[in-house]
Amino acid sequence: NAGVTQTPKFRILKIGQSMTLQCTQDMNHNYMYWYRQDPGMGLKLIYYSVGAGITDKGEVPNGYNVSRSTTEDFPLRLELAAPSQTSVYFCASSYNRVSGNTIYFGEGSWLTVV
Amino acid sequence: TQLLEQSPQFLSIQEGENLTVYCNSSSVFSSLQWYRQEPGEGPVLLVTVVTGGEVKKLKRLTFQFGDARKDSSLHITAAQPGDTGLYLCATHSGTYKYIFGTGTRLKVLA
């Protein structure tokens, strides 16, 4: 079972460059999320989506954009990369919003902006 | 916005010792989840607690949900090096968002 798949695993960007982190899930989950995790810290929600065509901002959306054209895919776009965006990015999904539902995470994408 | 504060932030103990980590909020939780994250991987769900006062056990891990559903604790008995990792609590915030706590980084020394 693939679950949640993220690419790339590692990436180094120069300041001002742009890139897209890809995320796909094969569990037919409605809900998808992007989190960032700074070293030694918890997870901060960047954006989330409740279904194809619907996205909304999380706690730290500035400098990022998302789209959800299909149920399976939820790419995260970084525009004009800044050193403050150096972090580990996790894509996640869950079946529905019923309290206590399990969130499944990808393995993470390590991004360094220099 | 609901905030989840975890304590302690870091914990380094010897194998065989017991420990407790805490997750607190100023708001009432609809439910609360505990995740463990190992280095280089995404978090993995350990347990979900829903009812105030609920206690759940997972081998040497005991999870408790506060009576008022504003706090939770995770107790590990006879910690082992395999318990090393980042422990995160999480809850539902607003309509669709899951938010995570600040995390407790545990290191168990052999």
Side-chain angles (χ1 to χ4, degrees):
Chain A
N1 293 331
V4 179
T5 303
Q6 295 178 231
T7 57
K9 182 88 171 177
F10 300 95
R11 181 74 186 267
I12 298 175
L13 277 181
K14 293 184 178 179
I15 294 172
Q17 286 185 322
S18 300
M19 74 161 296
T20 299
L21 298 176
Q22 301 292 342
C23 176
T24 188
Q25 52 91 10
D26 62 359
M27 297 174 281
N28 200 32
H29 284 169
N30 296 325
Y31 294 79
M32 295 189 75
Y33 315 85
W34 273 106
Y35 292 90
R36 61 174 286 173
Q37 185 175 37
D38 297 330
M41 304 297 287
L43 299 164
K44 293 289 187 183
L45 181 63
I46 305 171
Y47 270 95
Y48 64 100
S49 170
V50 302
I54 306 171
T55 64
D56 206 347
K57 296 178 181 179
E59 302 166 273
V60 289
N62 292 343
Y64 307 94
N65 277 299
V66 293
S67 60
R68 184 93 181 271
S69 57
T70 66
T71 299
E72 296 78 19
D73 301 310
F74 190 41
L76 177 71
R77 177 88 177 156
L78 279 73
E79 304 282 1
L80 299 174
S84 61
Q85 292 179 303
T86 293
S87 191
V88 183
Y89 292 83
F90 287 97
C91 181
S93 71
S94 65
Y95 180 62
N96 58 36
R97 65 177 178 90
V98 173
S99 290
N101 204 47
T102 301
I103 304 173
Y104 296 87
F105 285 86
E107 293 184 335
S109 297
W110 273 252
L111 176 66
T112 301
V113 182
V114 296
Chain B
T1 300
Q2 186 171 42
L3 296 176
L4 299 178
E5 295 289 335
Q6 291 186 241
S7 61
Q9 189 175 0
F10 300 99
L11 193 55
S12 180
I13 62 171
Q14 294 292 324
E15 182 177 5
E17 292 184 355
N18 301 331
L19 68 114
T20 303
V21 300
Y22 301 92
C23 177
N24 296 284
S25 174
S26 58
S27 304
V28 175
F29 302 125
S30 55
S31 64
L32 190 107
Q33 299 180 322
W34 284 94
Y35 288 77
R36 179 169 66 208
Q37 183 181 19
E38 298 186 11
E41 299 181 6
V44 175
L45 179 67
L46 295 173
V47 77
T48 301
V49 287
V50 179
T51 306
E54 183 177 3
V55 177
K56 282 191 174 180
K57 293 192 174 183
L58 183 65
K59 297 184 179 178
R60 293 176 294 100
L61 279 61
T62 301
F63 303 86
Q64 187 160 4
F65 202 14
D67 291 339
R69 293 188 292 129
K70 297 175 104 174
D71 58 273
S72 180
S73 64
L74 158 59
H75 182 79
I76 301 179
T77 303
Q80 299 177 0
D83 296 326
T84 293
L86 179 67
Y87 289 82
L88 297 160
C89 61
T91 192
H92 221 252
S93 174
T95 307
Y96 303 114
K97 299 183 293 188
Y98 272 96
I99 62 169
F100 284 78
T102 50
T104 292
R105 188 164 296 280
L106 172 65
K107 185 167 186 177
V108 182
L109 305 171

